[in-house]
Amino acid sequence: MNNEVSHLTARAAALLAETDERRIRAIRSRRWVLYPRAKQALDRLSALLDHPRGTRMPSVAIYGDSGMGKTMIMKRFRDEHPSSFNPLTGTLKTPVLAMEMTSRPGERRFYAELLTLLGAPQRPRADIAQMEQAALRIMEAIGVQVLVIDEVHNILAGSYREQRIVLNTLRFLSNRLQISLVCFGVNEAREAISGDVQLARRFQQFTLSRWAANDQFETLILSILRNTPLRKPSVLTAKSLRRILQITEGITANIFHMINSLAIDAIENGQECITDEVIESWEPDFDTEAAYA
């Protein structure tokens, strides 16, 4: 890589040959930026796939405020372990199955969502036992090893009885299929999972805390900038980093939005880099707390 693009990753540097409109479109699109905290979470999740099958499989719960990147990590983990089809045996293998907890928890709703995700036809009058057996049969056939559940805090929307039933269902699936569970949710999700003591003991907890002024935050900013296709390097002072933290309140999604907005401005005005001056004068065009709460 020549010195003119040494401040960028190879993928970002390749975008410099595109038009300004395409570069801006690339910045606005959702893109994966690997940073140490995300890598740590992904490594912990990947380790579940290597764990020997047993009756009490280890599980992981990842908590954090809205906008801290939980869903992006979930999707990355799923995409890194995609389904595969063996044309010789005619079998499909899906090591990681990812779903979203239904907005109103309940055993029927849960199995209906799971069967829809599995692409299984559902009889309108099927009872819960039939739905359960269909889900078990398909998940076992396709070799599910990890069941990922996003928005697990939705369990709290149900009554105490409904919460217990859903938690019992998760524990049953883990025991019966010898699979690990991965749950993503806001910090209140701890309360949801703790409703079943036996299930809660299986979970390793991983918290995505808001960013603070430290080396990890500097690494995050550097990673974002290296993946942002600007022609000139952006060299920011400690004061600018503190300003970014102040404006974004340490929320990952806010940080990406701010850097992306500044990068688009830099392309449109021809500056081609983000400076301390523009960071100092930048103001969000919406209420960040309301947008990301």
Side-chain angles (χ1 to χ4, degrees), residues 89-243:
T89 61
T91 56
L92 176 72
K93 292 298 179 184
T94 304
V96 176
L97 185 67
M99 65 178 292
E100 184 175 317
M101 181 59 69
T102 54
S103 58
R104 175 77 184 188
E107 198 173 10
R108 176 175 287 278
R109 280 173 174 259
F110 179 85
Y111 277 121
E113 181 71 20
L114 190 54
L115 288 170
T116 299
L117 182 64
L118 292 167
Q122 299 179 46
R123 292 188 299 161
R125 297 180 181 177
D127 58 33
I128 292 176
Q130 292 171 323
M131 298 171 75
E132 176 186 280
Q133 290 305 309
L136 289 172
R137 186 172 60 253
I138 297 171
M139 291 175 71
E140 188 171 20
I142 64 176
V144 174
Q145 294 175 264
V146 178
L147 176 62
V148 181
I149 305 166
D150 198 14
E151 308 287 347
V152 73
H153 48 266
N154 285 345
I155 292 175
L156 295 173
S159 65
Y160 176 76
R161 180 177 179 276
E162 288 171 328
Q163 292 178 38
R164 291 306 302 265
I165 289 174
V166 171
L167 292 173
N168 285 341
T169 301
L170 295 179
R171 180 155 47 86
F172 169 75
L173 288 173
S174 178
N175 290 344
R176 182 67 175 273
L177 297 170
Q178 297 186 356
I179 61 175
S180 295
L181 303 174
V182 174
C183 292
F184 290 85
V186 297
N187 292 314
E188 288 76 9
R190 300 175 197 269
E191 180 184 344
I193 293 176
S194 65
D196 187 307
V197 177
Q198 293 183 52
L199 182 65
R201 286 174 180 164
R202 304 181 189 186
F203 280 93
Q204 261 191 329
Q205 297 188 13
F206 187 93
T207 303
L208 295 171
S209 304
R210 294 195 184 201
W211 295 94
N214 53 30
D215 291 343
Q216 286 192 358
F217 178 65
E218 292 183 27
T219 301
L220 171 69
I221 297 299
L222 179 61
S223 297
I224 298 174
L225 291 175
R226 283 184 53 78
N227 283 274
T228 303
L230 295 176
R231 300 188 187 283
K232 301 176 184 177
S234 301
V235 181
L236 305 179
T237 63
K239 182 180 179 181
S240 289
L241 294 178
R242 289 195 298 270
R243 172 69 174 162

Side-chain angles (χ1 to χ4, degrees), residues 78-85 92-97 142:
R78 180 197 61 194
D79 293 345
E80 285 183 342
H81 305 282
S83 299
S84 60
F85 180 74
L92 176 72
K93 292 298 179 184
T94 304
V96 176
L97 185 67
I142 64 176

Side-chain angles (χ1 to χ4, degrees), residues 4-100:
E4 291 184 359
V5 295
S6 60
H7 61 288
L8 299 175
T9 62
R11 192 170 186 176
L15 288 168
L16 296 182
E18 303 288 347
T19 63
D20 290 353
E21 289 75 16
R22 287 187 175 273
R23 280 195 293 154
I24 290 173
R25 184 179 180 84
I27 291 171
R28 284 181 173 148
S29 64
R30 281 181 174 268
R31 64 194 192 281
W32 173 254
V33 174
L34 184 63
Y35 51 92
R37 192 184 293 179
K39 184 179 185 303
Q40 185 182 1
L42 288 170
D43 288 345
R44 191 170 297 188
L45 298 184
S46 295
L48 296 175
L49 292 167
D50 297 326
H51 195 281
R53 302 296 97 184
T55 54
R56 289 179 59 86
M57 294 298 295
S59 297
V60 174
I62 297 183
Y63 305 119
D65 290 330
S66 182
M68 287 306 301
K70 300 182 298 298
T71 300
M72 291 293 286
I73 291 173
M74 182 270 285
K75 291 180 178 178
R76 183 69 176 184
F77 176 58
R78 180 197 61 194
D79 293 345
E80 285 183 342
H81 305 282
S83 299
S84 60
F85 180 74
N86 187 331
L88 297 178
T89 61
T91 56
L92 176 72
K93 292 298 179 184
T94 304
V96 176
L97 185 67
M99 65 178 292
E100 184 175 317

Side-chain angles (χ1 to χ4, degrees), residues 236 240 243-244 262 274-282:
L236 305 179
S240 289
R243 172 69 174 162
I244 294 172
L262 290 169
I274 298 172
T275 65
D276 293 326
E277 290 74 22
V278 297
I279 289 177
E280 184 63 32
S281 61
W282 190 82

